[in-house]
Amino acid sequence: MDIKPTALASGIQGIQRGLAGARENAHSIATAQQGSVAGLAEPLIGLKQNLVQVQASVEVVKTVDETLASLLEDFSPR
């Protein structure tokens, strides 16, 4: 049985991309001109999108983990 790590790799990559985006958006927020509320909208929305991406990717990793644990349990000697 050949299990390809593509789902796990995709989940990890999604987490990494979400965290990288969050760092960029946080930097934009931290360095915004004082009193410039309009310039904050885009990075704040981006930060929320990054959060959702990381949460979804974590669910992918958890599902892969649970699936592999179930498969190993099914094939382990009793």
Side-chain angles (χ1 to χ4, degrees), residues 19-68:
L19 292 175
R23 278 190 296 275
E24 290 174 20
N25 285 310
H27 177 73
S28 295
I29 293 167
T31 59
Q33 296 287 332
Q34 193 170 9
S36 173
V37 177
L40 293 175
E42 189 173 328
L44 285 170
I45 292 168
L47 200 54
K48 179 63 175 178
Q49 291 171 330
N50 300 136
L51 172 65
V52 171
Q53 179 178 359
V54 170
Q55 289 172 329
S57 298
V58 165
E59 289 302 316
V60 169
V61 171
K62 285 167 69 174
T63 300
V64 170
D65 179 57
E66 292 167 0
T67 302
L68 289 175

Side-chain angles (χ1 to χ4, degrees), residues 7-17 57 60-61:
L8 179 60
S10 294
I12 292 171
Q13 186 177 48
I15 293 169
Q16 291 171 334
R17 286 183 178 171
S57 298
V60 169
V61 171

